[in-house]
Amino acid sequence: MLIVESLKKKFQLEETEVRAVDGVSFEVAAGEVYGLLGPNGAGKTTTLRMILGLVKPDAGYAEVSGYRTRTDPSAVKSRLGFVSASDGVYPWLSVREMLLYFADLYGVEPTEAASRCEQLSELMGIKPLLDRRAGSLSTGQRQRVILVRGLIHDPPVMLLDEPTRGLDVVGVQTIFEYIKNLRELGKAVVVCTHRLDEAERLCDRFGLLHQGTMHRTGTLQELRQQSGHDHLVEMFVELLGS
Amino acid sequence: MAGTRIEGRLWRLCQKELRETIRDRRTIFTLLLMPLLVYPIMSMALNRFLLTSGEIDDGYTICVATDMERDILDQWLSSPLSVPPEAILESSGNELAKFNAIIIPGISPAEAVLSNQADVGLQLSNLETGIPTATFYAYRGDNVSQAARRVVVERLQWLKLSQAEILLKQRTKDYRPPLTVQAEDVGEVEENSMLATIVPLVLVLMTITGAVYPAIDLTAGERERGTMEAVMASPVPRGYVLFSKYTAVVAVALLTAVANLIAMFTTLWAGGLLGLLTGGDAFPWITILQMLALLVLFSGFFAAILLSLTSFAKSFKEAQAYLIPVMLLSLTPAMLSLMPGITLTGALTVLPLINIVLLARDLLSGSADPSNAFVAIVSTTAYAAAALSVAAKLFGSDAVTRTSDKSIGSMLRRPRESSPVPTPQAAALMLALLVPAYFLVSNGLIRFIGNSDGIDIQWTLLLNALALIFTFGVLPITAAWLSRNNFKTTFQLRPAGIMSFIGATLLGLGAWAFAHEAFVIADALGIGGLSEQQIERAKASIEKMREASPILLIAAFALTPAVIEELCFRGYLFSATSGVVSPFRTVLITAFLFGLFHVLTGNALLVERFIPSTLMGLIIGWVAYQTQSVLPGIVIHFVHNGLLNTVLYYQEQLSFLGEGFDNQAHLPPLWLSIACVLVLTGAALVWLANRRRNGNNDSISGDTITK
């Protein structure tokens, strides 16, 4: 479903050159949740942005359902759903107007968009919020609206960048339910997070990213065998210390 | 079906942008409350201005102390003898000033003037002698009061003179007046409606007011809200999103303009000033419709310009920093419409913004020329389209960046690693500094030479060369040094073959004729052209130049500009531009800038220099592209300037060649043919000398020019 092959990206920050992503590769199948894990600045978000076509890679490629970002960006974008913790809302639009606007951006027919809007709102428990102004929502409500927004065009691949950042216990639980639901729907999901405990509970396979390089990849069992540690936190402590 | 779907989708996208903008209370405040507040205040100020400037002609008030004094004054002023002679009356518009004599109980005439209750105060004394003395009081520094006193004193002087003349005629039979004065008018009556001059200015202001906030909010605001990344992650064509934003900005600008228009006219009507401003009693429906049509054009143009700027900005603050200078700059051409003698003809029909302001003025005064109006509308539409395409390219191009990542300090810090060519941003900054630096240096030089009596011509030439070096030389070199650009690639200091130099020499020898022809054609089209005064001044300068040594003249006017200007335009700017656009556009852009800087000379705009200089810029730019070197361009520039200056220097000795240098006529066919052969041969040599390399490489000089 999603193939990432040898992606590389360098940035020039003031006077120094930073290798944000250095040859990252992984694959995610339909119905699989892949945890792209790493501390802040590991290159997780840059990798997602390269998959989306928002950042041009220096080398490598990303492929979604047989389409490559570089050669067919529109086909890739229409097959990707993207949710980021730093995403905002249009404060003067109602939740419904905002969701339908994004449906339009993805070329979803208005009748289908309206029906999906109702369906997803029901699922995520935001139906009472649909006619409220988006600017008046709480952080948790806003995050749920953004999750619905990411699914409005029914993409086969979902990219979630730090989806639980800034949320309380109930909010985090909602995200978990959402991801489980995505898995059941047969979507390929990439979750970027530095919350390793959450990732352990959620993801089927993992990629441990540090300073732009993929250090370990596999299921939790495989990682345990490779590292000799039981938990992802311990594996990262070892990685950061090396 | 697909078309309908696209239209429907676009319409929904536009609706979203409009909703988002209109629901914002700040927009509503700007849109409706500001005009409601501003115009009544403006109307009051205008009323006061009109009253104090005497445009509302109820006459001047003269305060006297007694009824007797009032009767005497009325008798004097109503006497036909106090009326000025016909010639004088005609020259002041056949209008006789009105005076109202009043008595204010309890205060003296002087006190009445002091307390601003009368324009003039009159006190009569010595009445018992039969030769009364009239003392008139006026408020010191008050123009109206002073003018009223001047007029009334003049009227009484005429009374005295007329009576004296009558007496003289009675007593002296052979009395002859010393002279007869007549006043004649020439030219046609110019429609001088105040509305036509004020409205374009107000139009610009209100359109900007309406467009600025939504332009910033819908572009830079997307980044600050954190919605830009999600929008750009969608497969919607970028042009669709930008078009919907453009529609919203135009719509809000139009709404603001219409709200302002309604508020303005309602206020004027309520204040009783409408008739005075429109020059008639009828409500100016046609004028209002014309203004609405102009508003659409204005809004379309401004919205595109604003969006192209705000799309570049990464935050509200940055967008505001870009827009404030644009808003201030917009006021300058708007002010032009207030000046008499500026007409919508020639080059002004295609000058952005100025053409629209002048067209607005002409439409409102009923004197618009259809062909000039057409050119102005088409060119403005083209500028709007160009600005919109720039905006579409910039919008969301750096969607993941939310704020400016560079501090002001980083702009002055040299990077550790060198780069082959300047960035477009660095080149834009250098250009932005070059304009004021050039303005200050050239004006300073002109003032210095003007104030220094008898300054040696040798010194004048030396100062000219130094001014050029300190602007077009020092600034690009400093910019390249600060950015640690490789000097060889930045200034295109690559060697060129001998054939290229021969070709460049021939081009320099022949190009002047085409520059001259371009000048003559531009003059015929009404673009610039030299006035008699300018020609006389140029002749005087040439005459003065002949006092200098020819070698110094060539060094100052040929060698220095050739080296310095080429390093700046075909070196620094060419390499910076070629990194981002095609070679064709690089040549066009640098030639345009070259032409533009030749227009800016001192504090005057020498528009007539634009076309010949741009033409030269195109020729030299093409050679720079072919040879990838600035050196052949220096040769062309040197030969061209050197040839012209030599001819001017030895004009008298060359008079056997016939007329042609001195006037603004086309060159003789023989001269043109020779020039044509020289240019074609030169171009062919340059092309042939570089054909193999250019043909082999798709990428000419990988570090600078990409085909």
Side-chain angles (χ1 to χ4, degrees):
Chain A
M1 190 75 73
L2 169 68
I3 300 168
V4 172
E5 185 60 47
S6 308
L7 278 179
K8 284 187 183 180
K9 184 70 194 174
K10 283 188 287 191
F11 288 116
Q12 189 72 36
L13 285 180
E14 297 277 321
E15 292 168 35
T16 51
E17 191 179 74
V18 178
R19 285 169 185 257
V21 178
D22 196 7
V24 168
S25 304
F26 61 90
E27 287 181 25
V28 188
E32 187 180 30
V33 179
Y34 186 86
L36 192 59
L37 314 177
N40 292 334
K44 306 182 296 285
T45 305
T46 306
T47 305
L48 292 195
R49 285 172 176 166
M50 283 193 281
I51 296 171
L52 280 160
L54 296 176
V55 171
K56 199 174 161 188
D58 295 330
Y61 64 87
E63 194 177 289
V64 179
S65 307
Y67 297 98
R68 286 197 184 179
T69 310
R70 186 171 285 185
T71 53
D72 210 342
S74 287
V76 170
K77 283 178 175 178
S78 61
R79 284 164 179 79
L80 287 173
F82 175 61
V83 169
S84 164
S86 52
D87 276 348
V89 293
Y90 293 107
W92 299 102
L93 295 187
S94 72
V95 172
R96 189 192 304 277
E97 284 166 345
M98 195 185 96
L99 293 175
L100 294 178
Y101 170 64
F102 274 92
D104 256 327
L105 292 183
Y106 281 90
V108 182
E109 283 298 314
T111 45
E112 194 191 331
S115 121
R116 274 198 71 75
C117 181
E118 291 291 328
Q119 201 185 332
L120 289 169
S121 309
E122 187 76 56
L123 191 75
M124 292 299 293
I126 60 159
K127 207 161 183 184
L129 307 177
L130 278 178
D131 294 311
R132 262 185 54 187
R133 202 164 61 78
S136 68
L137 301 177
S138 68
T139 312
Q141 289 170 331
R142 203 169 61 184
Q143 186 69 344
R144 276 188 283 161
V145 169
I146 288 167
L147 292 170
V148 172
R149 190 211 70 203
L151 275 175
I152 196 79
H153 57 295
D154 196 15
V157 179
M158 278 299 292
L159 307 178
L160 309 176
D161 188 14
E162 303 282 1
T164 56
R165 194 206 298 163
L167 295 182
D168 59 13
V169 182
V170 183
V172 172
Q173 195 52 40
T174 313
I175 302 288
F176 281 11
E177 294 299 324
Y178 176 80
I179 295 172
K180 280 178 194 164
N181 191 260
L182 292 176
R183 184 193 281 134
E184 282 164 21
L185 289 167
K187 298 194 186 297
V189 183
V190 178
V191 184
C192 281
T193 182
H194 62 277
R195 301 283 299 270
L196 305 175
D197 50 335
E198 289 171 7
E200 266 185 22
R201 289 158 56 196
L202 266 176
C203 305
D204 304 313
R205 285 199 306 123
F206 305 87
L208 306 192
L209 204 58
H210 181 47
Q211 292 179 337
T213 311
M214 192 72 96
H215 284 268
R216 293 188 200 287
T217 182
T219 61
L220 190 57
Q221 197 56 39
E222 286 165 347
L223 292 181
R224 280 171 179 158
Q225 282 170 0
Q226 285 170 28
S227 65
H229 295 292
D230 280 346
H231 297 288
L232 289 170
V233 177
E234 293 156 358
M235 291 176 212
F236 258 103
V237 170
E238 185 192 55
L239 197 65
L240 293 171
S242 63
Chain B
M1 277 300 281
T4 319
R5 276 211 301 274
I6 290 169
E7 282 162 22
R9 191 180 178 195
L10 263 178
W11 170 235
R12 289 191 297 277
L13 294 180
C14 294
Q15 274 182 313
K16 174 259 164 186
E17 304 295 352
L18 266 172
R19 269 194 207 115
E20 202 192 340
T21 308
I22 300 287
R23 282 180 193 164
D24 189 340
R25 282 184 207 132
R26 286 167 294 187
T27 310
I28 298 302
F29 178 79
T30 318
L31 201 75
L32 298 172
L33 285 183
M34 286 298 281
L36 287 179
L37 190 71
V38 165
Y39 287 109
I41 296 170
M42 273 176 68
S43 169
M44 284 184 247
L46 186 65
N47 229 324
R48 177 69 208 150
F49 166 76
L50 292 174
L51 282 169
T52 53
S53 66
E55 294 220 13
I56 295 177
D57 200 4
D58 288 335
Y60 298 115
T61 49
I62 301 181
C63 183
V64 289
T66 64
D67 286 335
M68 188 180 69
E69 284 178 349
R70 180 164 61 187
D71 293 342
I72 293 171
L73 181 67
D74 281 343
Q75 196 188 332
W76 285 344
L77 292 176
S78 58
S79 164
L81 296 178
S82 73
V83 176
E86 205 174 323
I88 291 173
L89 202 58
E90 274 178 14
S91 62
S92 57
N94 272 323
E95 279 189 22
L96 202 58
K98 292 179 204 159
F99 289 95
N100 303 310
I102 56 167
I103 298 167
I104 302 172
I107 57 170
S108 70
E111 284 166 343
V113 175
L114 269 175
S115 60
N116 210 15
Q117 295 181 66
D119 295 316
V120 182
L122 167 64
Q123 191 152 18
L124 291 176
S125 52
N126 300 328
L127 285 168
E128 68 285 353
T129 62
I131 309 169
T133 304
T135 309
F136 287 98
Y137 300 97
Y139 204 114
R140 190 174 284 119
D142 183 333
N143 289 340
V144 177
S145 179
Q146 295 284 332
R149 183 173 63 177
R150 182 175 49 78
V151 175
V152 74
V153 168
E154 276 174 9
R155 293 278 296 277
L156 296 189
Q157 287 296 337
W158 286 121
L159 180 74
K160 280 167 67 183
L161 274 172
S162 304
Q163 281 182 347
E165 203 173 45
I166 289 166
L167 281 172
L168 211 59
K169 276 180 185 169
Q170 284 170 354
R171 295 188 183 176
T172 318
K173 296 274 183 208
D174 56 351
Y175 171 76
R176 297 278 181 278
L179 76 157
T180 309
V181 179
Q182 283 185 334
E184 294 283 343
D185 288 331
V186 293
E188 288 176 18
V189 178
E190 263 190 46
E191 287 289 332
N192 194 22
S193 163
M194 250 183 94
L195 186 68
T197 48
I198 289 175
V199 160
L201 187 63
V202 179
L203 268 176
V204 169
L205 286 174
M206 57 197 189
T207 312
I208 293 177
T209 313
V212 164
Y213 180 74
I216 298 179
D217 190 50
L218 296 177
T219 48
E222 288 265 14
R223 289 181 200 270
E224 288 210 339
R225 275 191 298 270
T227 45
M228 178 68 97
E229 204 172 357
V231 171
M232 298 318 292
S234 73
V236 68
R238 206 181 281 182
Y240 283 24
V241 180
L242 193 85
F243 178 77
S244 59
K245 290 182 185 298
Y246 176 68
T247 311
V249 177
V250 171
V252 176
L254 266 175
L255 279 174
T256 318
V258 170
N260 277 269
L261 213 59
I262 292 168
M264 182 168 74
F265 273 84
T266 310
T267 313
L268 290 175
W269 171 78
L273 292 168
L274 192 62
L276 186 73
L277 290 174
T278 54
D281 291 334
F283 197 77
W285 290 110
I286 301 293
T287 307
I288 288 176
L289 285 175
Q290 284 173 336
M291 282 162 67
L292 272 176
L294 271 179
L295 283 178
V296 176
L297 194 64
F298 247 96
S299 308
F301 172 70
F302 251 105
I305 297 286
L306 294 180
L307 277 179
S308 64
L309 286 168
T310 54
S311 294
F312 188 67
K314 295 181 179 72
S315 65
F316 251 84
K317 212 164 75 176
E318 198 180 325
Q320 280 168 344
Y322 292 151
L323 292 192
I324 289 167
V326 171
M327 288 163 71
L328 292 175
L329 273 176
S330 310
L331 288 177
T332 314
M335 293 291 182
L336 261 184
S337 68
L338 299 173
M339 291 181 179
I342 300 278
T343 53
L344 183 67
T345 49
L348 290 184
T349 55
V350 292
L351 271 182
L353 200 62
I354 293 179
N355 58 0
I356 285 298
V357 175
L358 291 177
L359 176 59
R361 189 194 64 180
D362 289 356
L363 271 177
L364 294 169
S365 61
S367 59
D369 173 61
S371 55
N372 286 334
F374 178 76
V375 175
I377 289 169
V378 169
S379 56
T380 304
T381 313
Y383 299 141
L388 207 57
S389 72
V390 171
K393 207 167 183 180
L394 290 173
F395 178 72
S397 57
D398 197 6
V400 294
T401 314
R402 294 218 172 132
T403 51
S404 304
D405 56 352
K406 289 200 173 173
S407 63
I408 201 84
S410 70
M411 287 161 69
L412 297 170
R413 206 180 303 131
R414 292 187 78 198
R416 280 193 189 147
E417 287 181 23
S418 71
S419 51
V421 293
T423 60
Q425 289 87 343
L429 183 66
M430 194 282 290
L431 263 179
L433 292 173
L434 191 55
V435 175
Y438 184 51
F439 178 82
L440 280 176
V441 171
S442 56
N443 268 304
L445 190 65
I446 289 167
R447 287 174 73 90
F448 175 72
I449 292 170
N451 292 336
S452 314
D453 283 339
I455 186 169
D456 200 299
I457 184 66
Q458 326 279 350
W459 275 105
T460 307
L461 293 176
L462 194 66
L463 286 172
N464 262 303
L466 283 174
L468 204 67
I469 292 166
F470 277 106
T471 48
F472 292 92
V474 169
L475 269 173
I477 289 170
T478 310
W481 178 81
L482 270 176
S483 304
R484 215 182 275 276
N485 299 134
N486 181 316
F487 271 48
K488 190 180 169 188
T489 46
T490 296
F491 293 101
Q492 307 234 68
L493 298 168
R494 301 183 190 91
I498 187 77
M499 289 281 274
S500 297
F501 283 110
I502 296 170
T505 309
L506 295 178
L507 276 166
L509 284 171
W512 72 271
F514 293 96
H516 174 86
E517 286 301 302
F519 176 76
V520 174
I521 292 167
D523 184 37
L525 291 172
I527 304 167
L530 294 177
S531 64
E532 288 296 322
Q533 199 185 2
Q534 283 174 309
I535 293 170
E536 284 309 314
R537 215 179 298 149
K539 278 182 181 170
S541 297
I542 294 164
E543 219 36 66
K544 209 175 171 197
M545 294 300 165
R546 289 205 183 105
E547 293 167 17
S549 139
I551 294 169
L552 190 62
L553 189 73
I554 296 295
F557 286 153
L559 186 63
T560 313
V563 175
I564 300 298
E565 288 179 12
E566 286 314 308
L567 285 177
C568 178
F569 289 97
R570 255 64 60 178
Y572 186 90
L573 291 172
F574 199 93
S575 63
T577 317
S578 62
V580 283
V581 298
S582 67
F584 177 70
R585 286 183 185 171
T586 302
V587 172
L588 275 185
I589 291 167
T590 50
F592 176 77
L593 290 171
F594 186 66
L596 208 60
F597 271 96
H598 279 80
V599 171
L600 308 167
T601 303
N603 57 358
L605 293 177
L606 300 180
V607 184
E608 63 279 354
R609 291 175 73 178
F610 181 71
I611 291 182
S613 305
T614 307
L615 184 72
M616 281 305 292
L618 288 173
I619 295 171
I620 306 176
W622 176 79
V623 173
Y625 161 63
Q626 285 292 327
T627 59
Q628 298 166 61
S629 170
V630 75
L631 303 176
I634 291 177
V635 171
I636 301 177
H637 204 140
F638 173 72
V639 172
H640 171 266
N641 284 18
L643 184 70
L644 284 184
N645 283 292
T646 309
V647 167
L648 288 173
Y649 193 86
Y650 295 107
Q651 203 170 1
E652 282 167 20
Q653 288 90 326
L654 293 169
S655 57
F656 67 91
L657 290 169
E659 294 295 317
F661 292 116
D662 217 14
N663 53 34
Q664 286 165 262
H666 288 286
L667 290 170
L670 178 67
W671 289 32
L672 272 177
S673 309
I674 295 169
C676 205
V677 170
L678 287 170
V679 166
L680 287 175
T681 315
L685 283 176
V686 170
W687 183 73
L688 284 169
N690 300 283
R691 181 182 52 160
R692 185 174 296 170
R693 182 187 46 210
N694 293 351
N696 285 347
N697 295 339
D698 249 8
S699 171
I700 302 172
S701 168
D703 48 6
T704 52
I705 304 174
T706 308
K707 255 189 174 177

